[in-house]
């Protein structure tokens, strides 16, 4: 029996083959009974059609789905229009983000921070949407310092967020400290850890450097030591991430959000190891 709510994150495929492949991945993951699936969104317009199409497909397959929705570069009128479209599509859940502008993209639009988007969604649509926001236990990479980042997070929660999903991390102390500090500062919403499976060492290091997630030295050195031995990397990665999830579960997390990278095998194996099979 699944004893902990789980959710899966996908990115919108760019090709018809990718669409078919993701549809097959979803069918492999649905038996794990996710609470919902979320679909990422390209700030500045790169993947927005793909996001809504993927969300529609998931809803049509009988599962709850949440588009990620970023406000950077957007106008209030365009956000209002998009929210109306989400409502018309039967969407009830949004992952509300600021986003990052692609390099060379012109203006910042009418929203500076995710907290402004959350406030705007509440003002425009009341309680229609269940709003998830991002959280950064190891600090958002552009924040001035952890205290300023925590203050910004609390503002975002107070603006009307229901749940937070974290950037991935491999250090549970950072997560539990963040949750404690946020609660002390008045932000008392569930903080669901984002879980990144380890399957590809160079990709993990690249992503982590870009998003400010720390890959502890002992994990980096072990991964480097495996060289091109993919099977050993995957076996090691499965052990490490299973232990991480076990520690989180023992500490009472409200759920687990898996960054699937549009792959089923590792996430399925992880859920099986954790006994999270429906
Ligand atoms: P914010 O909460 O607005 O924070 C951004 C920065 O501004 C932080 O440094 C914060 O400290 C600072 N800040 C906020 N408010 C204030 C204030 N009032 N005064 C001063 N400083 C302030 N990106 C995508 O493009 N597409 C996606 O689909 C996507 N999905 C994501 C899913 C999750 C779960 C997470 C955690 C991140 C995701 N991202 C995605 C990345 C995200 O868009 C970037 O991390 C982005 O830089 C910040 O977005 P945010 O919503 O956390 O921003």
């Amino acid at each position: 029996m699944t004893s902990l709510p789980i959710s899966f994150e996908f990115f919108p495929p760019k090709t018809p083959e990718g669409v078919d492949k993701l549809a097959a991945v979803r069918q492999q993951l649905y038996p794990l009974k996710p609470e919902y699936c979320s679909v990422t969104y390209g700030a500045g317009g790169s993947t927005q059609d793909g996001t809504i199409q993927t969300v529609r497909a998931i809803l049509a397959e009988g599962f709850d789905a949440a588009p990620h929705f970023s406000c950077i570069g957007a106008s209030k009128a365009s956000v209002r229009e998009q929210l109306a479209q989400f409502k018309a599509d039967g969407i009830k859940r949004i992952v509300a983000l600021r986003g990052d502008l692609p390099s060379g993209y012109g203006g910042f639009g009418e929203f500076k921070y995710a907290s402004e988007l959350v406030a705007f969604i509440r003002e425009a649509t009341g309680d229609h949407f269940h709003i998830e926001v991002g959280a950064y236990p190891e600090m958002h990479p552009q924040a001035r310092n952890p205290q300023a980042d925590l203050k910004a997070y609390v503002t975002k929660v107070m603006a009307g967020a229901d749940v937070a999903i974290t950037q991935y991390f491999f250090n549970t102390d950072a997560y539990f400290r963040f949750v404690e500090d946020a609660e002390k500062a008045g932000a008392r919403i569930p903080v669901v850890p984002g879980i990144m499976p380890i399957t590809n060492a160079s990709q993990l290091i690249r992503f982590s450097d870009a998003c400010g997630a720390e890959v502890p030295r002992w994990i980096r050195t072990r991964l480097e030591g495996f060289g091109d031995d993919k099977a050993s990397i995957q076996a090691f990665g499965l052990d490490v991430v299973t232990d991480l999830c076990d520690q989180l579960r023992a500490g009472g997390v409200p759920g687990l959000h898996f960054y699937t990278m549009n792959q089923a095998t590792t996430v399925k194996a992880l859920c099986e190891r954790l006994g999270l099979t429906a």
Side-chain angles (χ1 to χ4, degrees):
M1 275 292 283
T2 301
S3 54
L4 192 63
I6 56 173
S7 48
F8 297 133
E9 181 170 315
F10 302 115
F11 58 83
K14 292 201 176 102
T15 61
E17 297 74 41
V19 170
D20 292 346
K21 190 180 158 255
L22 179 57
V25 164
R26 291 197 300 271
Q27 292 307 324
Q28 285 178 269
L29 292 176
Y30 284 157
L32 296 166
K33 303 249 181 325
E35 188 190 358
Y36 71 99
C37 299
S38 78
V39 185
T40 65
Y41 190 82
S46 58
T47 62
Q48 296 173 357
D49 281 351
T51 302
I52 191 70
Q53 279 160 21
T54 309
V55 164
R56 283 179 188 143
I58 296 166
L59 290 172
E61 288 158 351
F63 284 83
D64 199 3
H68 292 208
F69 186 43
S70 71
C71 59
I72 201 160
S75 66
K76 289 188 175 170
S78 68
V79 170
R80 202 183 290 280
E81 204 177 296
Q82 186 69 72
L83 293 172
Q85 184 60 58
F86 287 160
K87 265 185 154 182
D89 277 313
I91 292 166
K92 296 229 173 72
R93 218 181 240 274
I94 295 179
V95 182
L97 301 150
R98 185 198 68 176
D100 292 307
L101 275 182
S103 56
Y105 194 86
F108 282 81
E110 291 184 70
F111 298 88
K112 209 165 168 203
Y113 300 115
S115 55
E116 295 173 10
L117 176 64
V118 174
F120 185 81
I121 297 172
R122 286 290 176 235
E123 191 190 307
T125 61
D127 286 336
H128 178 83
F129 293 106
H130 183 270
I131 302 179
E132 260 109 5
V133 290
Y136 302 84
E138 295 177 326
M139 195 181 88
H140 183 266
Q142 291 155 15
R144 218 172 43 248
N145 56 49
Q147 291 74 17
D149 203 30
L150 182 67
K151 198 166 160 221
Y153 170 76
V154 174
T155 304
K156 188 160 63 173
V157 172
M158 298 305 188
D162 294 298
V163 171
I165 305 170
T166 74
Q167 182 57 274
Y168 68 85
F169 57 87
F170 296 103
N171 178 351
T172 55
D173 287 346
Y175 168 84
F176 288 116
R177 171 65 55 192
F178 176 83
V179 173
E180 201 180 314
D181 290 349
E183 284 180 0
K184 273 192 207 143
R188 296 189 188 87
I189 60 170
V191 182
V192 177
I195 305 297
M196 178 64 89
I198 300 176
T199 52
N200 177 321
S202 55
Q203 188 188 53
L204 179 75
I205 306 289
R206 204 174 56 246
F207 278 6
S208 304
D209 289 346
C211 72
E214 188 197 16
V215 181
R217 188 173 175 276
W218 71 272
I219 297 182
R220 277 190 190 237
T221 48
R222 289 287 293 269
L223 289 172
E224 279 160 14
F226 291 127
D228 291 333
D229 178 357
K230 283 191 187 145
S232 296
I233 291 171
Q234 285 170 7
F236 171 74
L238 199 53
D239 284 347
V240 168
V241 180
T242 305
D243 284 351
L244 174 78
C245 294
D246 271 335
Q247 286 171 34
L248 290 168
R249 187 154 57 165
V253 294
L256 295 173
H257 180 79
F258 291 95
Y259 295 109
T260 69
M261 308 303 286
N262 289 7
Q263 306 284 334
T265 315
T266 309
V267 172
K268 260 180 74 181
L270 264 172
C271 290
E272 275 157 20
R273 284 230 194 154
L274 292 164
L276 297 174
T277 44

